[in-house]
Amino acid sequence: MEKKEYSFELGGRKLTLEFLPWAEQANASVIARYGDTVVLSAVTMGNKDVSLGYFPLTVEYSEKYYAAGILGGGRFYKREAKPSTDATLRARMVDRTLRPLFNQKMRREVQVVNSVLSYDPHNTPDIISFIAASTALHISDIPWGGPIGAVRVAKIGDELVLNPSNAQQEEASLNVTLAGAHGNINMIEVDAKERPEQEIMEALTFGARYVEELSKLQETIRKEIGKEKQNVAVNDLTDELKANVRQRAYAEMKEALLSVRHDHVEIVSALKDTIMSELQEQHSDSDISPLWGYLDELGDEIVHEGALKENKRVDGRAMDEIRPLSAQVSLLPRAHGSGLFMRGLTHVLTATTLGVPGDEEIHDDMEGEYRKRFMHHYNFPPFSTGETGFFRGPGRRELGHGALAEKALHPLLPDENDFPYVTRLVSEVLSSNGSSSMGSVCASSLALMDAGVPIKRHIAGIAMGLMSTSDGADYRILTDIQGPEDHHGDMDLKVAGTSQGVTAMQMDVKINGVSLELLEKAFAQAKTARQEILQVLEGAIAQPREGLSPYAPLIKMIQIKPARIGRLIGSGGSTIKEIMAETETEINVEDDGRVFISGTNAANVERAAEWAYNLTREIELGEQFHAKVTKIAEFGAFVELVPGQEALVHVSELSDTFVKDVHDIVNVDDWLDVKVIRIDEQGKIAASAKQASSTLPKGEPSQGRS
């Protein structure tokens, strides 16, 4: 294969797409370079149909330690194991963007693999993975309705920055990732620090023109080197069977779907089973295998017509109406905080657990090692939808929903210096009928306040849906979508935020995309709904509790000079181990001199904090101490001002009269009131007994006073 190369200026840097015979047996492959970041995207399609009731697309995102020039991994096992959570979330983003542009009736396996070969922190690989995957699909012979373009836009101060670096993203008040095709937007991911909807619209508008330009570049590439698309048969009923099934099922499905009954899913499922049994008597399995897909299409049509022609939703609500809401707190006596949020048949219980700084979660991946002090985990057991199933580790969906809620809640958390606890939230979906991820945001807000975590204000989330005509000319935006509206609808837009602004947003679609104009209306409708939910949360608990649970650990923070950390640690850790053992506490020391002392007994925590403070504190001239004599010499006595810091009281400073023998005045283990009179450049301290006042408490070391 002859090498081909195309370049595009993106965010002041060159994006290069190279076509080389590296992955020559894939249907197509692309090497994308952006700075020193290199991503290989390879796309492959199977040779025959598979017996599945859905289109079998898989999207993988592979990160390797070598890409960043690090060994990584643990001490005994250096090979990468399962994908990191971040890698899984990036794979999901690419999947959500590509999937709607395939014919869902295809039954050929299609796999998209993005491999990060080189990692440059200034040029994040997730964005170029979108572009590389789209380009590979577009030039391949795999049927697909792309291309798509994708960019990230950050707002730093008053400036919008295209494709910001990792450092710039941390600094930004708003980060928006968007992808689109054919002039529309089909994927959005937002994290923000309580920013207004208008700022998000500005970022989307800014990024949309680059999305369009990237799509045009891929069209040019396809015209020059693209393969002819394969003619892949789709899984569909014959026209005659469609007519028969439609006549048999339409009225009954419409009655079930457009009613206020809660069991319409069960009714439709039973109807499908009945029709399948009837057809099996007259037709072969291969002829009727597409039945489920066609009945789903029929359901799509009924739900769309109900909204567009009859202005009617599946449960009879108005388009902007939220299902009944309720909120409760303090439901779990041993959890440090708990909250239950219910919206219709979506019920989520969240528990808060507070830990000490040493409980931070340590991550080790391509981008290096980092620690997390806030975690949100989301569980979706099969009984939440009235089904049985296996209990395994969290899948992509659970990781994605948990991460979305975590992103939404994070901007509301207090600073570590104000609240040094590690915080873990676990959301248990007890019942699910639409947007349990946004339900977990609401339940988590309740649980945080119930635990006494000083969050700024409540946060709520809502899911918005869409029913539109094929050309997008007519549409209805739906507030608070439930299961059938999510399944049969065109859009799932999740918006989380406070009374002050948006903190997180996520959108995916089942159509080619939506316009900016439609999004602006959806944002406004979501804001109204959010305000309504916030009132319900505030009715359950208006502000964080003043005290923590009696079962939560106690933490006290002191600040010491980094140069004095060694005094606290001691030789081989001897000093800090002694303090922890004597006081039954846990002590964590940061490189910047912050010391976190935690335990279950308040007196012990205070004692350990005092001990650590005295070991590392800086003695000042003029301070007075009630100090214990530790050693006698011919020229004076050594006294311990505070644990670990001694001073010499010269024989001339022991008394107002002449002292012939130090033992005539003091002995080891005696106590002296002394005053600090000199500190030399090496930190050696001289003290005086004759200059000290006699008003200090006796029998124990003092804290020092002027």
Side-chain angles (χ1 to χ4, degrees):
M1 176 183 177
E2 181 185 353
K3 177 181 176 180
K4 287 281 188 177
E5 183 178 300
Y6 299 84
S7 296
F8 182 80
E9 194 75 15
L10 190 64
R13 287 153 287 167
K14 186 168 75 170
L15 168 67
T16 302
L17 299 174
E18 296 179 0
F19 300 87
L20 297 166
W22 286 14
E24 198 165 7
Q25 296 190 68
N27 288 61
S29 64
V30 177
I31 298 148
R33 298 180 184 270
Y34 198 45
D36 285 340
T37 294
V38 180
V39 174
L40 167 67
S41 184
V43 298
T44 313
M45 182 171 67
N47 295 322
K48 57 183 180 180
D49 289 356
V50 293
S51 298
L52 294 172
Y54 57 88
F55 168 52
L57 170 70
T58 56
V59 177
E60 305 292 343
Y61 180 92
S62 173
E63 295 179 340
K64 302 295 174 64
Y65 292 119
Y66 66 72
I70 59 175
L71 284 174
R75 181 179 176 186
F76 299 104
Y77 191 75
K78 294 297 181 183
R79 187 182 181 116
E80 293 84 358
K82 66 179 183 178
S84 68
T85 298
D86 285 345
T88 300
L89 297 177
R90 288 164 180 168
R92 274 175 54 85
M93 278 204 301
V94 177
D95 188 312
R96 287 162 39 212
T97 304
L98 303 178
R99 188 176 293 272
L101 300 175
F102 284 96
N103 186 334
Q104 302 303 306
K105 295 179 181 179
M106 283 175 54
R107 293 297 178 264
R108 295 276 188 93
E109 288 184 289
V110 175
Q111 188 171 58
V112 178
V113 180
N114 289 312
S115 301
V116 182
L117 304 181
S118 179
Y119 171 64
D120 165 11
H122 298 291
N123 298 286
T124 54
D126 51 352
I127 291 300
I128 63 172
S129 294
F130 284 96
I131 301 164
S134 172
T135 306
L137 282 169
H138 203 47
I139 67 166
S140 76
D141 57 353
I142 301 173
W144 185 58
I148 61 97
V151 295
R152 179 176 285 115
V153 179
K155 186 164 189 179
I156 303 175
D158 294 328
E159 182 183 1
L160 292 174
V161 178
L162 187 66
N163 285 2
S165 66
N166 284 339
Q168 287 175 312
Q169 290 178 56
E170 290 292 328
E171 183 186 351
S173 61
L174 170 67
N175 283 295
V176 178
T177 303
L178 66 148
H182 313 296
N184 288 324
I185 306 298
N186 77 345
M187 195 285 299
I188 297 173
E189 193 83 26
V190 175
D191 64 273
K193 298 174 181 176
E194 295 185 282
R195 305 315 304 163
E197 285 79 358
Q198 186 54 41
E199 285 191 14
I200 297 172
M201 282 305 306
E202 290 169 1
L204 289 170
T205 303
F206 175 79
R209 66 175 181 265
Y210 295 100
V211 165
E212 190 65 22
E213 289 180 20
L214 286 164
S215 297
K216 289 178 180 177
L217 170 66
Q218 293 171 63
E219 292 286 10
T220 300
I221 296 171
R222 170 159 179 77
K223 287 177 182 177
E224 295 186 13
I225 64 172
K227 301 176 183 177
E228 183 179 349
K229 296 295 183 183
Q230 292 188 41
N231 185 18
V232 177
V234 295
N235 192 44
D236 211 352
L237 294 176
T238 64
D239 290 343
E240 181 182 357
L241 271 175
K242 282 184 179 180
N244 291 341
V245 172
R246 183 183 184 86
Q247 185 178 11
R248 170 72 176 81
Y250 186 88
E252 200 169 339
M253 284 185 68
K254 183 174 181 179
E255 172 64 24
L257 287 170
L258 299 182
S259 70
V260 295
R261 299 177 60 163
H262 292 304
D263 59 351
H264 48 250
V265 174
E266 291 82 0
I267 294 173
V268 171
S269 180
L271 176 62
K272 289 178 178 180
D273 289 339
T274 300
I275 295 173
M276 176 65 82
S277 298
E278 292 172 356
L279 291 177
Q280 281 176 331
E281 296 176 3
Q282 307 168 18
H283 301 276
S284 67
D285 289 345
S286 60
D287 286 342
I288 61 174
S289 64
L291 174 66
W292 294 99
Y294 177 67
L295 288 172
D296 253 358
E297 282 183 47
L298 205 55
D300 290 352
E301 181 184 332
I302 290 168
V303 172
H304 277 71
E305 286 183 352
L308 295 168
K309 295 182 179 179
E310 302 175 36
N311 216 37
K312 190 175 182 180
R313 295 179 65 172
V314 296
D315 58 0
R317 280 181 290 146
M319 298 297 164
D320 60 353
E321 184 180 349
I322 305 175
R323 288 170 290 172
L325 303 170
S326 71
Q328 300 175 61
V329 295
S330 300
L331 300 165
L332 307 177
R334 284 280 177 163
H336 300 159
S338 58
L340 175 66
F341 177 75
M342 298 194 290
R343 185 184 59 241
L345 278 176
T346 296
H347 307 161
V348 184
L349 174 70
T350 298
T352 301
T353 308
L354 301 176
V356 302
D359 293 331
E360 292 171 324
E361 186 176 75
I362 301 174
H363 286 248
D364 181 25
D365 56 29
M366 180 188 72
E367 298 177 29
E369 185 178 290
Y370 64 95
R371 298 170 181 263
K372 286 182 66 175
R373 55 181 294 266
F374 173 62
M375 294 147 278
H376 178 274
H377 297 145
Y378 166 101
N379 294 319
F380 192 84
F383 66 74
S384 66
T385 55
E387 299 171 324
T388 61
F390 294 103
F391 277 78
R392 298 189 178 96
R396 284 188 172 191
R397 182 180 183 276
E398 286 78 11
L399 291 175
H401 282 16
L404 175 60
E406 182 176 297
K407 180 164 58 178
L409 295 158
H410 193 270
L412 279 300
L413 295 174
D415 183 83
E416 184 180 8
N417 291 327
D418 299 325
F419 191 77
Y421 289 87
V422 172
T423 306
R424 181 184 183 226
L425 299 171
V426 180
S427 289
E428 304 285 357
V429 180
L430 307 179
S431 174
S432 177
N433 186 18
S435 194
S436 53
S437 64
M438 293 296 94
S440 69
V441 170
C442 300
S444 296
S445 185
L446 294 167
L448 284 168
M449 285 202 176
D450 186 50
V453 179
I455 60 174
K456 301 172 186 175
R457 55 191 69 87
H458 266 304
I459 178 170
I462 190 71
M464 311 297 293
L466 176 70
M467 300 292 169
S468 63
T469 55
S470 57
D471 61 1
D474 189 19
Y475 59 83
R476 301 288 184 276
I477 297 169
L478 281 56
T479 294
D480 180 26
I481 55 173
Q482 59 169 302
E485 293 170 329
D486 185 11
H487 181 73
H488 294 295
D490 300 330
M491 176 183 77
D492 183 6
L493 169 65
K494 302 178 178 75
V495 183
T498 68
S499 57
Q500 304 299 307
V502 172
T503 59
M505 189 181 289
Q506 188 179 89
M507 184 196 79
D508 51 77
V509 297
K510 295 187 179 76
I511 54 179
N512 282 344
V514 295
S515 67
L516 290 170
E517 177 189 11
L518 186 152
L519 283 172
E520 188 167 24
K521 292 178 181 178
F523 292 172
Q525 199 166 312
K527 182 178 181 179
T528 301
R530 186 169 79 244
Q531 301 291 355
E532 184 177 338
I533 298 171
L534 286 170
Q535 291 179 7
V536 174
L537 301 182
E538 289 165 1
I541 181 169
Q543 58 189 15
R545 299 197 187 281
E546 292 186 3
L548 301 181
S549 163
Y551 304 110
L554 302 168
I555 301 179
K556 184 178 181 67
M557 189 196 84
I558 63 172
Q559 180 72 52
I560 68 175
K561 288 188 174 182
R564 294 174 180 259
I565 290 175
R567 290 187 182 180
L568 176 58
I569 302 298
S571 176
S574 58
T575 304
I576 197 169
K577 288 176 183 176
E578 179 187 1
I579 299 172
M580 290 192 292
E582 288 289 326
T583 60
E584 298 180 339
T585 57
E586 178 79 19
I587 301 177
N588 293 278
V589 184
E590 299 293 330
D591 291 341
D592 61 3
R594 287 176 301 156
V595 180
F596 298 97
I597 301 102
S598 55
T600 56
N601 182 282
N604 282 349
V605 170
E606 287 294 337
R607 182 181 164 211
E610 179 182 327
W611 193 338
Y613 171 75
N614 284 331
L615 273 173
T616 58
R617 61 167 292 188
E618 194 166 340
I619 305 296
E620 296 180 0
L621 281 174
E623 279 193 279
Q624 296 197 139
F625 296 87
H626 188 62
K628 187 177 183 179
V629 178
T630 59
K631 187 169 68 173
I632 300 294
E634 291 184 7
F635 48 83
F638 289 92
V639 296
E640 185 178 57
L641 304 179
V642 294
Q645 296 197 60
E646 292 187 337
L648 169 65
V649 182
H650 192 266
V651 66
S652 62
E653 295 292 338
L654 278 172
S655 174
D656 290 329
T657 61
F658 175 75
V659 177
K660 183 178 180 180
D661 186 346
V662 175
H663 289 285
D664 293 340
I665 306 296
V666 291
N667 289 294
V668 172
D669 292 337
D670 285 350
W671 292 83
L672 276 180
D673 290 332
V674 298
K675 179 179 180 180
V676 176
I677 58 174
R678 186 172 62 257
I679 303 174
D680 67 17
E681 293 180 355
Q682 285 75 42
K684 293 180 179 179
I685 304 170
S688 170
K690 67 182 184 182
Q691 297 184 40
S693 68
S694 58
T695 58
L696 293 174
K698 307 301 180 185
E700 61 180 28
S702 72
Q703 294 301 304
R705 60 183 66 185
S706 304

